[in-house]
Amino acid sequence: MNVSVSPTLTIDAIRDADVEPVVALWQRCGLTRPWNDPHADIALARRRDNSTVLVGRDGGAIVTTVMVGHDGHRGWVYYVAVDPDSRKRGYGRVIMAAAEDWLRSAGIAKLQLLVRRENAPANAFYDSLGFELSTSVMFQKWLDGRANP
């Protein structure tokens, strides 16, 4: 997938040389957590046909990303990032549209995502894209023995 969306922004799948700049972007955007290794997350997404990491480039520089995948029924996105110096240019909308297109091409009709409650700007962004609060309750359980935070 290599789609030109503006004279300066193109979207395509992550390449080997993109891994470090993508991880650095995620760190600048505050998306990484100590319990999730972003390198391992990227490797896992690239290993299967049902997931990928899409990157948006402006003049060759990676300015936006999304990790997208599906379980055969529902699509999920993670690591939606726009470089802080490139915000307010519509790149978030463009990368989310690319994720939606990727899922549609895989025959997936529903997209879900998780956002921390306290992240008001992200909640407002997804609301502006037509996302709705789910009526489902999410449960979690650590399988490696650690306690829930």
Side-chain angles (χ1 to χ4, degrees):
M1 172 185 214
N2 186 4
V3 179
S4 180
V5 295
S6 78
T8 60
L9 188 68
T10 57
I11 307 292
D12 58 10
I14 193 170
R15 299 181 276 223
D16 291 345
D18 299 332
V19 172
E20 293 307 320
V22 165
V23 170
L25 174 62
W26 292 352
Q27 290 169 339
R28 277 195 314 278
C29 292
L31 298 179
T32 58
R33 296 293 181 264
W35 53 87
N36 290 337
D37 176 358
H39 293 90
D41 289 346
I42 291 169
L44 182 62
R46 296 178 75 194
R47 205 173 354 223
R48 303 256 161 75
D49 291 337
N50 67 331
S51 57
T52 192
V53 178
L54 300 175
V55 298
R57 301 171 201 280
D58 183 352
I62 296 172
V63 295
T64 185
T65 68
V66 64
M67 180 181 288
V68 59
H70 66 84
D71 61 13
H73 298 282
R74 290 163 214 86
W76 289 89
V77 296
Y78 305 91
Y79 293 108
V80 178
V82 176
D83 187 282
D85 295 334
S86 297
R87 293 190 177 155
K88 303 297 181 191
R89 297 181 190 174
Y91 292 169
R93 289 181 176 279
V94 171
I95 201 72
M96 284 300 296
E100 291 178 15
D101 289 345
W102 189 92
L103 289 166
R104 278 189 203 96
S105 72
I108 305 301
K110 184 178 184 181
L111 171 55
Q112 300 181 156
L113 54 91
L114 301 170
V115 179
R116 290 180 181 83
R117 286 182 189 162
E118 66 274 8
N119 192 341
N123 285 294
F125 170 70
Y126 292 115
D127 185 60
S128 78
L129 295 179
F131 284 81
E132 300 172 346
L133 285 177
S134 174
T135 58
S136 300
V137 175
M138 186 187 82
F139 288 89
Q140 69 180 20
K141 179 180 180 181
W142 290 101
L143 300 178
D144 62 3
R146 72 182 103 175
N148 285 323

